[in-house]
Amino acid sequence: RRPISWITAATERLFSPAMDAIVAVTPKIHDRFSRFHRRVVMIANFPLLPEFNARTRLTPGRPARVCYIGGISATRGAFEMVQAVAQAKTSVRLAIAGSYEDPELLRCLSNEPGWAQVDEYGFLSRLEVAELLNSSVAGLVTLQPTPAYVAAYPVKLFEYMSAGIPVVASDFPLLREIVETANCGICVDPTNPQAIAEAVDELVSNPQLAASLGKNGRRAIETRYNWSSEATKLFATYENVIRYS
């Protein structure tokens, strides 16, 4: 893989300067291409404002639940999330919606003690995703510290914020800046199930805190992290390319 990586990097550097413009999706990618191209714009995959404009509604007498939506893999924290609900002191369930990258992973997860507290939903439509978010106390985005994820903009983070629920996120510099600036959740060591469990317990046992953090996240989506603002940048890039080509 290393030689392929070198070849890819050399190819990018060789051909990128000939491009009319380059669209990057994270600050790290933007900075890399900016070293050898003068017209690089970052267009993040932020949510549409109306799509997840929901508020959390919990059913009295039923256990609270936190959710994870997206591809399910070990590097996305599947084991740590399941282990966390087993260690939580509050009565909480974990709702998982998405597809498994490795069929063997499901068998391994089902052997975890916390699996009895997991509800599987499989692949959901966008409307079903909104309904699941609408009934969850918090959203988990405990990606593991791999090079691909440390500098990533996880879409699920912004979807949780858009739905007005607090996030429990990996304590990576990029995610921490977003979460702490917006005051919309709790950052934890994603490799530590106990730390995840403590964050979940704090949000489940303190509904007022959870509601406040959720509102803050939604406000940040409305003012900054939404597709409307990104579309404006993208259209401006197209116009510049047409004008100067």
PDB file of all heavy atoms in Angstrom, residues 9-26:
ATOM      1  N   ALA A   9       0.152  10.114  -4.638  1.00  0.00           N
ATOM      2  CA  ALA A   9       0.543  11.470  -4.253  1.00  0.00           C
ATOM      3  C   ALA A   9       1.294  12.171  -5.379  1.00  0.00           C
ATOM      4  O   ALA A   9       1.065  13.358  -5.659  1.00  0.00           O
ATOM      5  CB  ALA A   9       1.397  11.421  -2.991  1.00  0.00           C
ATOM      6  N   ALA A  10       2.189  11.436  -6.041  1.00  0.00           N
ATOM      7  CA  ALA A  10       2.948  12.031  -7.146  1.00  0.00           C
ATOM      8  C   ALA A  10       2.027  12.380  -8.310  1.00  0.00           C
ATOM      9  O   ALA A  10       2.187  13.435  -8.957  1.00  0.00           O
ATOM     10  CB  ALA A  10       4.041  11.058  -7.605  1.00  0.00           C
ATOM     11  N   THR A  11       1.051  11.521  -8.571  1.00  0.00           N
ATOM     12  CA  THR A  11       0.100  11.777  -9.661  1.00  0.00           C
ATOM     13  C   THR A  11      -0.747  13.010  -9.364  1.00  0.00           C
ATOM     14  O   THR A  11      -0.976  13.850 -10.246  1.00  0.00           O
ATOM     15  CB  THR A  11      -0.805  10.553  -9.864  1.00  0.00           C
ATOM     16  OG1 THR A  11       0.001   9.401 -10.141  1.00  0.00           O
ATOM     17  CG2 THR A  11      -1.774  10.785 -11.013  1.00  0.00           C
ATOM     18  N   GLU A  12      -1.198  13.116  -8.116  1.00  0.00           N
ATOM     19  CA  GLU A  12      -1.977  14.296  -7.722  1.00  0.00           C
ATOM     20  C   GLU A  12      -1.163  15.570  -7.925  1.00  0.00           C
ATOM     21  O   GLU A  12      -1.652  16.563  -8.472  1.00  0.00           O
ATOM     22  CB  GLU A  12      -2.395  14.186  -6.251  1.00  0.00           C
ATOM     23  CG  GLU A  12      -3.497  13.176  -5.985  1.00  0.00           C
ATOM     24  CD  GLU A  12      -3.848  13.094  -4.518  1.00  0.00           C
ATOM     25  OE1 GLU A  12      -3.048  13.590  -3.678  1.00  0.00           O
ATOM     26  OE2 GLU A  12      -4.900  12.535  -4.188  1.00  0.00           O
ATOM     27  N   ARG A  13       0.069  15.535  -7.477  1.00  0.00           N
ATOM     28  CA  ARG A  13       0.906  16.744  -7.572  1.00  0.00           C
ATOM     29  C   ARG A  13       1.216  17.096  -9.026  1.00  0.00           C
ATOM     30  O   ARG A  13       1.306  18.279  -9.382  1.00  0.00           O
ATOM     31  CB  ARG A  13       2.191  16.539  -6.786  1.00  0.00           C
ATOM     32  CG  ARG A  13       3.006  17.811  -6.643  1.00  0.00           C
ATOM     33  CD  ARG A  13       4.249  17.607  -5.793  1.00  0.00           C
ATOM     34  NE  ARG A  13       4.906  18.894  -5.584  1.00  0.00           N
ATOM     35  CZ  ARG A  13       4.822  19.610  -4.483  1.00  0.00           C
ATOM     36  NH1 ARG A  13       4.096  19.181  -3.474  1.00  0.00           N
ATOM     37  NH2 ARG A  13       5.461  20.764  -4.373  1.00  0.00           N
ATOM     38  N   LEU A  14       1.342  16.085  -9.866  1.00  0.00           N
ATOM     39  CA  LEU A  14       1.678  16.305 -11.263  1.00  0.00           C
ATOM     40  C   LEU A  14       0.509  16.908 -12.040  1.00  0.00           C
ATOM     41  O   LEU A  14       0.689  17.850 -12.824  1.00  0.00           O
ATOM     42  CB  LEU A  14       2.114  14.985 -11.906  1.00  0.00           C
ATOM     43  CG  LEU A  14       2.446  15.025 -13.408  1.00  0.00           C
ATOM     44  CD1 LEU A  14       3.658  15.921 -13.658  1.00  0.00           C
ATOM     45  CD2 LEU A  14       2.705  13.617 -13.925  1.00  0.00           C
ATOM     46  N   PHE A  15      -0.695  16.367 -11.825  1.00  0.00           N
ATOM     47  CA  PHE A  15      -1.834  16.753 -12.651  1.00  0.00           C
ATOM     48  C   PHE A  15      -2.724  17.834 -12.036  1.00  0.00           C
ATOM     49  O   PHE A  15      -3.446  18.529 -12.763  1.00  0.00           O
ATOM     50  CB  PHE A  15      -2.691  15.526 -12.969  1.00  0.00           C
ATOM     51  CG  PHE A  15      -2.044  14.565 -13.925  1.00  0.00           C
ATOM     52  CD1 PHE A  15      -1.444  13.402 -13.461  1.00  0.00           C
ATOM     53  CD2 PHE A  15      -2.016  14.824 -15.290  1.00  0.00           C
ATOM     54  CE1 PHE A  15      -0.836  12.514 -14.340  1.00  0.00           C
ATOM     55  CE2 PHE A  15      -1.408  13.946 -16.170  1.00  0.00           C
ATOM     56  CZ  PHE A  15      -0.816  12.785 -15.699  1.00  0.00           C
ATOM     57  N   SER A  16      -2.703  17.996 -10.730  1.00  0.00           N
ATOM     58  CA  SER A  16      -3.595  18.967 -10.098  1.00  0.00           C
ATOM     59  C   SER A  16      -3.401  20.399 -10.587  1.00  0.00           C
ATOM     60  O   SER A  16      -4.381  21.125 -10.775  1.00  0.00           O
ATOM     61  CB  SER A  16      -3.430  18.907  -8.574  1.00  0.00           C
ATOM     62  OG  SER A  16      -3.906  17.683  -8.077  1.00  0.00           O
ATOM     63  N   PRO A  17      -2.154  20.868 -10.797  1.00  0.00           N
ATOM     64  CA  PRO A  17      -1.998  22.248 -11.263  1.00  0.00           C
ATOM     65  C   PRO A  17      -2.698  22.537 -12.590  1.00  0.00           C
ATOM     66  O   PRO A  17      -2.977  23.696 -12.906  1.00  0.00           O
ATOM     67  CB  PRO A  17      -0.471  22.394 -11.398  1.00  0.00           C
ATOM     68  CG  PRO A  17       0.077  21.422 -10.410  1.00  0.00           C
ATOM     69  CD  PRO A  17      -0.856  20.247 -10.477  1.00  0.00           C
ATOM     70  N   ALA A  18      -2.996  21.507 -13.377  1.00  0.00           N
ATOM     71  CA  ALA A  18      -3.668  21.711 -14.660  1.00  0.00           C
ATOM     72  C   ALA A  18      -5.175  21.839 -14.512  1.00  0.00           C
ATOM     73  O   ALA A  18      -5.860  22.204 -15.471  1.00  0.00           O
ATOM     74  CB  ALA A  18      -3.338  20.550 -15.604  1.00  0.00           C
ATOM     75  N   MET A  19      -5.690  21.561 -13.341  1.00  0.00           N
ATOM     76  CA  MET A  19      -7.133  21.635 -13.119  1.00  0.00           C
ATOM     77  C   MET A  19      -7.577  23.095 -12.991  1.00  0.00           C
ATOM     78  O   MET A  19      -6.832  23.949 -12.522  1.00  0.00           O
ATOM     79  CB  MET A  19      -7.513  20.873 -11.842  1.00  0.00           C
ATOM     80  CG  MET A  19      -7.096  19.419 -11.827  1.00  0.00           C
ATOM     81  SD  MET A  19      -7.911  18.463 -13.115  1.00  0.00           S
ATOM     82  CE  MET A  19      -7.060  16.885 -12.942  1.00  0.00           C
ATOM     83  N   ASP A  20      -8.814  23.368 -13.404  1.00  0.00           N
ATOM     84  CA  ASP A  20      -9.353  24.724 -13.278  1.00  0.00           C
ATOM     85  C   ASP A  20      -9.621  25.078 -11.817  1.00  0.00           C
ATOM     86  O   ASP A  20      -9.492  26.238 -11.421  1.00  0.00           O
ATOM     87  CB  ASP A  20     -10.655  24.850 -14.074  1.00  0.00           C
ATOM     88  CG  ASP A  20     -10.411  24.760 -15.569  1.00  0.00           C
ATOM     89  OD1 ASP A  20      -9.467  25.414 -16.056  1.00  0.00           O
ATOM     90  OD2 ASP A  20     -11.150  24.033 -16.235  1.00  0.00           O
ATOM     91  N   ALA A  21     -10.010  24.094 -11.029  1.00  0.00           N
ATOM     92  CA  ALA A  21     -10.252  24.307  -9.607  1.00  0.00           C
ATOM     93  C   ALA A  21     -10.272  22.944  -8.920  1.00  0.00           C
ATOM     94  O   ALA A  21     -10.453  21.911  -9.571  1.00  0.00           O
ATOM     95  CB  ALA A  21     -11.574  25.030  -9.362  1.00  0.00           C
ATOM     96  N   ILE A  22     -10.077  22.953  -7.631  1.00  0.00           N
ATOM     97  CA  ILE A  22     -10.109  21.719  -6.840  1.00  0.00           C
ATOM     98  C   ILE A  22     -11.055  21.918  -5.671  1.00  0.00           C
ATOM     99  O   ILE A  22     -10.968  22.926  -4.960  1.00  0.00           O
ATOM    100  CB  ILE A  22      -8.706  21.342  -6.330  1.00  0.00           C
ATOM    101  CG1 ILE A  22      -7.792  21.006  -7.514  1.00  0.00           C
ATOM    102  CG2 ILE A  22      -8.774  20.166  -5.363  1.00  0.00           C
ATOM    103  CD1 ILE A  22      -6.358  20.721  -7.117  1.00  0.00           C
ATOM    104  N   VAL A  23     -11.946  20.967  -5.487  1.00  0.00           N
ATOM    105  CA  VAL A  23     -12.883  21.000  -4.363  1.00  0.00           C
ATOM    106  C   VAL A  23     -12.427  19.986  -3.322  1.00  0.00           C
ATOM    107  O   VAL A  23     -12.292  18.797  -3.629  1.00  0.00           O
ATOM    108  CB  VAL A  23     -14.320  20.680  -4.822  1.00  0.00           C
ATOM    109  CG1 VAL A  23     -15.257  20.588  -3.621  1.00  0.00           C
ATOM    110  CG2 VAL A  23     -14.808  21.746  -5.789  1.00  0.00           C
ATOM    111  N   ALA A  24     -12.178  20.449  -2.110  1.00  0.00           N
ATOM    112  CA  ALA A  24     -11.775  19.585  -1.006  1.00  0.00           C
ATOM    113  C   ALA A  24     -12.915  19.500   0.001  1.00  0.00           C
ATOM    114  O   ALA A  24     -13.744  20.403   0.091  1.00  0.00           O
ATOM    115  CB  ALA A  24     -10.517  20.144  -0.332  1.00  0.00           C
ATOM    116  N   VAL A  25     -12.951  18.404   0.773  1.00  0.00           N
ATOM    117  CA  VAL A  25     -14.066  18.206   1.697  1.00  0.00           C
ATOM    118  C   VAL A  25     -13.663  18.313   3.169  1.00  0.00           C
ATOM    119  O   VAL A  25     -14.525  18.266   4.046  1.00  0.00           O
ATOM    120  CB  VAL A  25     -14.753  16.843   1.451  1.00  0.00           C
ATOM    121  CG1 VAL A  25     -15.385  16.816   0.077  1.00  0.00           C
ATOM    122  CG2 VAL A  25     -13.762  15.696   1.610  1.00  0.00           C
ATOM    123  N   THR A  26     -12.373  18.448   3.445  1.00  0.00           N
ATOM    124  CA  THR A  26     -11.915  18.649   4.823  1.00  0.00           C
ATOM    125  C   THR A  26     -10.782  19.671   4.813  1.00  0.00           C
ATOM    126  O   THR A  26     -10.117  19.873   3.782  1.00  0.00           O
ATOM    127  CB  THR A  26     -11.388  17.354   5.466  1.00  0.00           C
ATOM    128  OG1 THR A  26     -10.156  16.963   4.827  1.00  0.00           O
ATOM    129  CG2 THR A  26     -12.408  16.229   5.364  1.00  0.00           C
TER     130      THR A  26
END
